[in-house]
Amino acid sequence: MAGPRTSPSSPWIRRYAPAPDAPVRLVCLPHAGGSAAFYSGVARTLSPRVDVLAVQYPGRLERRREPPMESLTELADALVDELLPWADRDLAVFGHSLGAMVGFEVARRLEARGRAPVALLVSGRGAPSRHRREFTERPADPVLIQQLRRLGGTDPRVFDNEDLVELALPVLRADYELVENYRYRPGPPLSCPVTALNGVDDPKVTTADVEAWREHTTAAFDSVTYPGGHFYLVDRPGEVTGAIADRLARRAGSRRGEPSTAGATRSAGEGTE
């Protein structure tokens, strides 16, 4: 299969391990303060079975001169325009934390434009209908730093480097405000299967939050819980990529008429595929 002619130059898309002959492309959306590079290992592990499109939001790394987006829905609008040229084959969407929220809104827009994803995989975030603000007022910088420390996923040495902290804070604050200002608008459920992946000790996600994802699809729903906290996937990359690969293969199988086993909830430690 030949790739699209226009999108490889897009500032939004990074392909760390291009897989031009893969039957499915996986759009990977970073967490608050994160970048496309967070998914470089996922891309290399899944290639050549899956062509991973890691998304680079404005305002970070080589896009640092661009202002960060101020609205999550506007971010989704802009991103869908960048993704449609890649929809010459199946698209699936994976997002962690903030990325899960963006992924849901992107999936909605892809479906509305006739390019429904074959799967939505959401990590470290409850259903959008359960969204609630974390802060009653705009948090001070020390509060954001404390939040980062508590959730993990960042090398502790970063917090000892004032220059790095000063560089990261504007992006982190902008991303947190995307989350805080998000307002879920009810609409038709998705037609694609939804898989929720979470750490059993994640302080940001409750069981009820996860189960509520069922309400957002008319297709199958399943969930996988791993040992660990909000950034469980950093410590268990093999299991997480295995779960992703399994779900994408399952979607391909269901399109060929093979039986699907989706719909279950797996407990901690059962994420190895």
Side-chain angles (χ1 to χ4, degrees):
M1 298 181 193
R5 292 188 296 272
T6 57
S7 284
S9 61
S10 168
W12 291 81
I13 306 299
R14 299 290 175 272
R15 294 168 84 203
Y16 295 102
D21 296 322
V24 60
R25 292 193 165 107
L26 178 66
V27 180
C28 289
L29 299 151
H31 54 280
S35 71
F38 185 74
Y39 293 111
S40 61
V42 173
R44 294 184 180 100
T45 299
L46 292 179
S47 183
R49 296 169 294 166
V50 178
D51 191 22
V52 172
L53 309 180
V55 172
Q56 191 76 294
Y57 303 140
R60 61 214 70 205
L61 297 180
E62 68 277 3
R63 301 190 71 186
R64 62 187 177 278
R65 298 186 185 279
E66 301 176 49
M69 301 294 288
E70 296 182 351
S71 162
L72 192 147
T73 52
E74 290 178 5
L75 170 58
D77 288 338
L79 182 53
V80 166
D81 288 337
E82 297 290 332
L83 291 175
L84 284 174
W86 292 97
D88 60 329
R89 66 203 68 182
D90 288 345
L91 282 178
V93 179
F94 175 89
H96 178 65
S97 198
L98 164 65
M101 298 172 69
V102 178
F104 170 72
E105 292 293 344
V106 164
R108 276 180 146 184
R109 285 156 174 76
L110 286 171
E111 185 152 333
R113 295 177 69 169
R115 293 290 188 270
V118 295
L120 172 64
L121 301 103
V122 290
S123 169
R125 178 66 59 173
S129 54
R130 301 270 301 182
H131 176 66
R132 52 197 175 271
R133 293 176 65 93
E134 292 186 45
F135 303 103
T136 57
E137 58 185 12
R138 194 172 190 265
D141 290 349
V143 174
L144 285 181
I145 293 172
Q146 183 181 22
Q147 175 89 312
L148 272 182
R149 288 182 180 272
R150 184 169 67 96
L151 293 177
T154 302
D155 189 329
R157 291 172 294 182
V158 170
F159 303 114
D160 298 326
N161 187 317
E162 292 184 6
D163 291 338
L164 287 178
V165 171
E166 185 176 345
L167 188 65
L169 271 174
V171 170
L172 182 65
R173 179 173 293 286
D175 286 353
Y176 264 84
E177 289 181 358
L178 283 182
V179 175
E180 290 292 286
N181 295 328
Y182 174 72
R183 295 293 178 270
Y184 166 68
R185 294 184 179 180
L190 299 172
S191 63
C192 68
V194 174
T195 295
L197 304 95
N198 294 280
V200 67
D201 297 318
D202 189 342
K204 297 173 74 72
V205 185
T206 68
T207 300
D209 292 339
V210 174
E211 287 298 311
W213 277 108
R214 292 182 186 273
E215 304 164 9
H216 293 285
T217 180
T218 59
F221 167 80
D222 72 321
S223 65
V224 188
T225 303
Y226 298 91
H230 189 62
F231 281 96
Y232 71 92
L233 67 174
V234 173
D235 298 322
R236 314 184 79 85
E239 293 177 49
V240 174
T241 53
I244 293 170
D246 175 72
R247 268 70 183 173
L248 296 184
R250 204 180 282 175
R251 300 293 88 82
S254 65
R255 282 174 172 250
R256 294 192 300 267
E258 298 171 7
S260 171
T261 57
T265 299
R266 301 190 182 192
S267 60
E270 294 182 333
T272 303
E273 303 300 322

